[in-house]
Amino acid sequence: MRKAVIILSFVAAIGVMLASSVSAQDLQTGAPVDRSTHITFSGPVTLPNVSLPAGTYLFRFVDINKSSVVQVLSDDGKVQYAMFNTITIQRTAEAAKDGDIVTFKEAPESTPRAVDAWFYNDTVGCEAIY
């Protein structure tokens, strides 16, 4: 009986160690799922608590295992401009056909467009919480 308890304890300890190293991975390649996307805006845009001039920016999740906080950085990833909470959203395959990676909220023409959502694949994305 004592031997069985020792073996079970050993197996449980290995399970705990392996579970702590689990991360989001591509099922085919085993590589981490990195949804980082470089997005170029032709005009100024707004995000929660920040306005950005036209340019290219890097959108990425702060933690690829918990995809709710988005970080917006300079194109080279050296300067952080924004960090905001999001909620996961989905759109139909029909809606994804236009190829838009970013959707915008309605706004008066005289103001910069406010980013509503970022789609990191065809049908799944995240909506900015303003």
Side-chain angles (χ1 to χ4, degrees):
M1 180 69 164
R2 180 176 161 97
K3 188 175 181 179
V5 171
I6 291 172
I7 291 172
L8 278 171
S9 298
F10 182 71
V11 170
I14 290 175
V16 168
M17 288 187 297
L18 290 175
S20 65
S21 67
V22 172
S23 64
Q25 296 179 342
D26 183 287
L27 294 176
Q28 293 178 347
T29 66
V33 176
D34 182 5
R35 298 178 180 108
S36 297
T37 307
H38 291 268
I39 302 173
T40 301
F41 298 106
S42 59
V45 296
T46 62
L47 294 163
N49 304 314
V50 68
S51 292
L52 301 173
T56 301
Y57 300 92
L58 173 61
F59 280 60
R60 70 178 186 190
F61 288 108
V62 172
D63 182 346
I64 62 173
N65 296 316
K66 299 175 186 168
S67 51
S68 65
V69 179
V70 171
Q71 188 177 36
V72 180
L73 305 161
S74 59
D75 189 29
D76 62 5
K78 293 182 179 179
V79 178
Q80 177 177 303
Y81 295 107
M83 189 179 309
F84 53 92
N85 289 311
T86 65
I87 56 172
T88 302
I89 58 172
Q90 292 191 344
R91 62 181 173 182
T92 64
E94 186 66 31
K97 284 184 180 178
D98 62 18
D100 289 342
I101 295 173
V102 173
T103 58
F104 297 94
K105 295 183 177 289
E106 288 189 34
E109 286 187 33
S110 61
T111 62
R113 298 179 353 163
V115 173
D116 181 40
W118 161 45
F119 289 89
Y120 44 83
N121 80 22
D122 290 338
T123 59
V124 181
C126 55
E127 181 178 2
I129 300 174
Y130 280 83

